[in-house]
Amino acid sequence: MDYERKTRVIANSYYNMGLERAKLRDLSGASECLKKSLHFNKYMTDARNLLGLIYYEVGEVGEALVQWVISMNFQPEGNQADHYLGEIQRKSGIMETERRAVRRFNQALVYAQSGSEDLAILQLNKVVESKPNYVKAQLLLALLSIAREDYQKAGKAVYKVLQIDRNHPKALYYKSLVKDTAGNGKSEREPEKRKLKNVLSHRQMEDDDVIIPPSYRENTKDQAVWNILAGLLLGAAVVFFLVMPANTKSINELHNQEMLKYSEQLSQANQKADGLTAQLESIEAEKKTAEASLASLTSDSDSVLAQYQAVIGILQAYKKDDFPAAVRIYAGLNPDLIASADVQTIVGEIRKDMAENGCPILEGFGDKAMESGDAQAALAYYLKCIDLKPTSWQAKFKTAVIYKGMDQKEQANGLFSDIINNSKDEELSAKAKSERGF
């Protein structure tokens, strides 16, 4: 068996394992299998589409879009990813909901990191209300609820995660924390209830109860005095030699028991605090990862998700053979916000096509914008054209004229000089000379 066929067989095996686990709602296990499948065969679109569906199911819409866009690039025709992307495009409110949810989740992480647990929980409540399947938000809500000993709320959040992903490792760990802590609390309260019941079960002596001695004999006055003195001495001796040591020993034993009990409670609290601290550190690491992949989700037009949407729009315009529409969408694309190397490869191929065929269309869009009096839009089109093809002299001249009208002398003169020194169009060079030097 040759190497290529062997890797294909391994990739198929991992895909089948991932599919079976996904059917059983073991999404964490399925995700790991699918990633291994793509490691051996990155062109396997079925595995990539299924991984995108898993990301979508756990609330990671951005990651789902990445997988589907890459899948469409590898297989433009007859690809199920086209249907998924079309559904997202048709649901106009889904992207805005996603942006709000991620913004609130990131804000909750900031609040949790700064110790403002109440504000963090308030944000997370809004997130899970609008997006109940956002697993990261549910897990953070469970963790903060455990820290506040609100085990009922933590249990609900963990239960929701396990409904989505039945074998999620963190959810299972949080579940064990909730069960153990709740169980310990019950076992500690029951003995106290039994002690209280035993105390209340003894009959108390009433005020009119009298203890009658078995015999009584009258004494003389002197004998009574001596009996009293002897009784006092005997009582003092009993107290000093018998009662006080017994009481002291009892008090010491009780004190030792209380100290032991408090020491055990303190040890358990420290262990619990250490565990929660480790979990918070893990969540903080996840926060940094999330911020790295969704760093610009605080805005709308320049967000990461907006760039992925733009790439999807370009691919769909290509599919419909509508090149001007693809050029118009590309004019607003900011590739620097796209973190995925595979999607960057797709953007690179699109850029080559735009550099060869898109500049005249971009310049035409700019001319129409100038005719309508929108100099800023025209400037954006001309600059995009120059970025794709630095030898677009007409676009440079028009850009320089716009800069001149904005009183940005340095930028305008720089472009005019470039045209004069490097352009072979003598008429355009003469125009640039007449415009330069103001």
Side-chain angles (χ1 to χ4, degrees), residues 15 34 43-51 71 75 79-80:
Y15 168 71
L34 294 171
Y43 299 102
M44 192 169 185
T45 54
D46 288 338
R48 201 173 289 280
N49 292 343
L50 181 55
L51 182 59
S71 177
Q75 184 185 334
N79 192 336
Q80 189 67 18

Side-chain angles (χ1 to χ4, degrees), residues 298-316:
T298 54
S299 62
D300 291 329
S301 61
D302 294 330
S303 69
V304 173
L305 293 177
Q307 307 315 311
Y308 286 122
Q309 281 184 292
V311 175
I312 295 169
I314 293 170
L315 293 175
Q316 290 179 338

Side-chain angles (χ1 to χ4, degrees), residues 210-215:
V210 179
I211 300 176
I212 303 176
S215 64

Side-chain angles (χ1 to χ4, degrees), residues 241-309:
F241 290 106
L242 298 178
V243 177
M244 287 185 63
N247 286 344
T248 302
K249 182 179 179 181
S250 175
I251 291 171
N252 289 336
E253 289 178 352
L254 181 61
H255 176 72
N256 291 336
Q257 290 176 358
E258 290 293 328
M259 289 297 295
L260 180 61
K261 177 181 177 182
Y262 291 139
S263 297
E264 291 176 352
Q265 291 178 350
L266 181 61
S267 176
Q268 292 176 358
N270 288 335
Q271 291 176 0
K272 179 180 176 182
D274 292 340
L276 293 176
T277 300
Q279 292 300 314
L280 284 174
E281 290 175 354
S282 174
I283 291 295
E284 186 177 351
E286 290 182 6
K287 169 182 176 267
K288 292 179 180 178
T289 303
E291 287 177 344
S293 60
L294 298 170
S296 302
L297 278 169
T298 54
S299 62
D300 291 329
S301 61
D302 294 330
S303 69
V304 173
L305 293 177
Q307 307 315 311
Y308 286 122
Q309 281 184 292

